[in-house]
Each structure stands twice: as C-alpha cells, then as structure tokens.
Amino acid sequence: MVGINNTQRQNHIRRDDPGRTRDASGGVGAIGLVGATMGAGGVAGSVIASVYAHRLRRRPVFFVGYFLAGAPRYLVLALDVPLWLVVAVFAVSGLGAGFLNPILGAVQIERVPRPLLGRVHGLVTALAWAGIPFGGLLAGGLLGVGPLAAVLLLFGAVYLLTTSLAGLLPEWRAMDRRRLAERREEAVAPAAP
C-alpha cells in the first residue's frame, strides 16, 4: 500500500504541479507555496501525533490520515479551483500525512524482534520507495493518451481504493492489538497501596 501510494505521490510532485500552475497566475511561486504548505502541515501533524497519538487507536487514525494525505489532493488539482483552495487542501493533507510515519515506526518497533529491526526497517523502506522512480514514467505515459484532469482523477481513485481496501484487511487490526492488551492489563491491575 505504501509503495503504490508513494509511486503515485512522486508522479504528482514531478508532473502535476508544474502542469497545473504553469498557466496559473502564481506560476512557480504557486508550486512552492503548495509544497511548503503541505510540508508545514506534515510537520504540524507529526507534532500533534507525538503529543496525542498515544491516546488514540492507531488503525482509524492511520487510515484517516492516509485518506487525507492522498485522494483529496488529486481531486482538487483535477478541478479548476482557486489557488487558496488548493493550498488549504494541501495543508489538511499534510496534517494527515504527519501521522503516518510515527504510527508505522511505532508498529515496527513493537512487532519486530530487536535483532531483526534494522533489516526489517531497511526492507520496508526499500519496498515503500521502490516504485518512486517509475511514478513519473507512468504519469507521462498516461498523459500521452489522456488529459491531465482524467489522469489526476484516475490516480486519486487508485489512491483511494488502495487505502480503503487495505484498511479492510484483518491484518491491519493487529496494529492496535498490543496497545489494547496493555490498557486491559492496566485496568485490571490492582492499585498500589
């Protein structure tokens, strides 16, 4: 799931923003504003996650964050909307994206045996990033046969389906299992005198 979405995200960064803003009044400044806004949203989301995430269930937060980080960006770029709306959607997307890596990192640390942690982390990162170089190629090929708006809507739909369908798999419920067991133990444990 992460690999597919990273591939799409990269083609969006490399291809869609310049195409969208070339004719806009903001030009390349608009690209910088949109990217900086999403980055600031991501930092803010990570800070919020570090403060509040331990109180929340991971699975719903993870998939809501993934939804916010992806499909709305493609939709807003496919539509002819003002720049302020694009910036607002990208800010919210950044907030959602800010929760993803802290959750993935915490789950890896909890579930992977210590001696294998470095190898597993390296493998997960490699798989997540493996498709990124091909994102621009895929997008360019699709732009050769269809208009930009249709390609954006297609990638938004694939992003939405990838995250939604993956969220239905029972394996993802395990990301909350250990934390729920710890909370039950704390509730049952007798209070210290």
Side-chain angles (χ1 to χ4, degrees), residues 27 32 36 40 47 58 60 63 71 80 85 131 138 148 153 158 170 174:
V47 169
R58 287 182 183 152
F63 284 103
D80 189 21
L85 185 56
L138 177 62
L148 176 62
L153 291 173
V158 170

Side-chain angles (χ1 to χ4, degrees), residues 14 21 53 70 76 88 107 112 123-124 151 158-159 161:
R14 295 282 184 229
T21 59
V76 77
V107 170
V112 175
L123 179 63
V124 167
V151 172
V158 170
Y159 200 109
L161 286 173

Side-chain angles (χ1 to χ4, degrees), residues 4 7 9 25 43 54 70 79-80 92-94 100 111 126 130 135 138 144 153 156 159 162 177:
I4 291 170
T7 300
R9 189 173 295 135
S25 61
V43 170
H54 67 281
L79 302 174
D80 189 21
V92 172
S93 291
L100 302 179
R111 298 188 53 90
L138 177 62
L153 291 173
Y159 200 109
T162 303
R177 189 172 297 144

Side-chain angles (χ1 to χ4, degrees), residues 27-170:
V28 295
I31 296 171
L33 176 63
V34 169
T37 302
M38 182 155 181
V43 170
S46 292
V47 169
I48 293 168
S50 69
V51 174
Y52 295 108
H54 67 281
R55 299 178 192 165
L56 304 172
R57 290 190 53 221
R58 287 182 183 152
R59 185 170 175 245
V61 171
F62 182 76
F63 284 103
V64 167
Y66 238 123
F67 169 76
L68 291 175
R73 291 183 307 154
Y74 290 99
L75 180 62
V76 77
L77 288 175
L79 302 174
D80 189 21
V81 297
L83 181 61
W84 67 265
L85 185 56
V86 174
V87 170
V89 168
F90 272 65
V92 172
S93 291
L95 282 170
F99 278 82
L100 302 179
N101 284 334
I103 291 173
L104 286 173
V107 170
Q108 282 182 12
I109 290 171
E110 285 179 358
R111 298 188 53 90
V112 175
R114 295 276 183 240
L116 298 176
L117 193 56
R119 291 181 212 162
V120 170
H121 180 70
L123 179 63
V124 167
T125 301
L127 290 173
W129 287 57
I132 289 176
F134 303 105
L137 293 172
L138 177 62
L142 288 172
L143 277 175
V145 296
L148 176 62
V151 172
L152 287 167
L153 291 173
L154 173 68
F155 280 124
V158 170
Y159 200 109
L160 180 63
L161 286 173
T162 303
T163 55
S164 300
L165 295 177
L168 298 175
L169 295 173

